Amino acid sequence: MDKKTILLKINDEEYSITTCPNRTLLEILRDDLSLTGAKESCGEGACGACTVLLDGLPMRSCLLLVTEAEGKEITTIEGLSGNGKLDPIQDAFIEYHAIQCGFCSPGMILTAYSLLKNNPDPDEEEIRHAISGNICRCTGYAKIVEAIQAISTKGR
């Protein structure tokens, strides 16, 4: 397959990548750009470990061809923090012990970030619905929901 040069905007930085167009965004992020926050787990888009934001919406990067991401704003977990400070949602996950092994955390946090951008005061049902596509294998979701509720009531 012929390679193609693709322009990507990731975490407010522009990248020119020459690659086979059948590679996924997850492969480019992890293998070419060393942005390893998005994880590969199920490889079928069912677990949410590979979640990134595409134009502010959570997307499964394991299912997204890199060519489909061209011209979009891509945000990874590495892009939430800046100037040595975590985003308030990241701080809330730490404060409320919503991180166990951490494997699902980037996807959970990005999904929560997107939810709160679009709905700053979600109720518990809305939070649980928003994160329903992200699987945590360590524990229940109580602490994760508490962290999201805390940041929504504190304001961002």
Side-chain angles (χ1 to χ4, degrees), residues 74 83 105 116 139:
I74 302 162
N83 298 324
S105 299
L116 295 171
T139 183

Side-chain angles (χ1 to χ4, degrees), residues 29-135:
L29 292 172
R30 292 187 59 83
D31 301 341
D32 294 18
L33 302 176
S34 298
L35 294 169
T36 58
K39 308 291 190 252
E40 180 163 9
S41 184
C42 71
E44 299 175 349
C47 71
C50 65
T51 300
V52 299
L53 300 181
L54 200 68
D55 287 340
L57 298 175
M59 294 288 176
R60 305 296 189 250
S61 62
C62 73
L63 297 180
L64 194 66
L65 293 177
V66 67
T67 53
E68 296 174 296
E70 188 167 26
K72 312 280 187 188
E73 296 272 342
I74 302 162
T75 305
T76 68
I77 193 68
E78 291 90 348
L80 279 193
S81 59
N83 298 324
K85 289 185 66 176
L86 296 175
D87 184 85
I89 191 68
Q90 293 171 304
D91 283 332
F93 268 62
I94 293 167
E95 183 179 346
Y96 286 85
H97 306 284
I99 296 173
Q100 295 292 312
C101 79
F103 195 82
C104 72
S105 299
M108 286 281 188
I109 289 169
L110 287 170
T111 299
Y113 181 88
S114 177
L115 168 67
L116 295 171
K117 280 284 187 191
N118 295 307
N119 179 3
D121 190 24
D123 62 28
E124 183 177 341
E125 185 177 328
E126 291 168 322
I127 292 169
R128 288 186 180 277
H129 177 74
I131 64 171
S132 65
N134 295 77
I135 296 172

Side-chain angles (χ1 to χ4, degrees), residues 6-11 13-19 23-37 66 74 76 78:
I6 299 165
L7 302 175
L8 298 174
K9 187 170 184 183
I10 305 168
N11 303 329
E13 289 188 40
E14 294 188 3
Y15 297 89
S16 176
I17 308 285
T18 301
T19 186
R23 293 181 69 203
T24 66
L25 178 59
L26 180 63
E27 291 171 326
I28 298 297
L29 292 172
R30 292 187 59 83
D31 301 341
D32 294 18
L33 302 176
S34 298
L35 294 169
T36 58
V66 67
I74 302 162
T76 68
E78 291 90 348

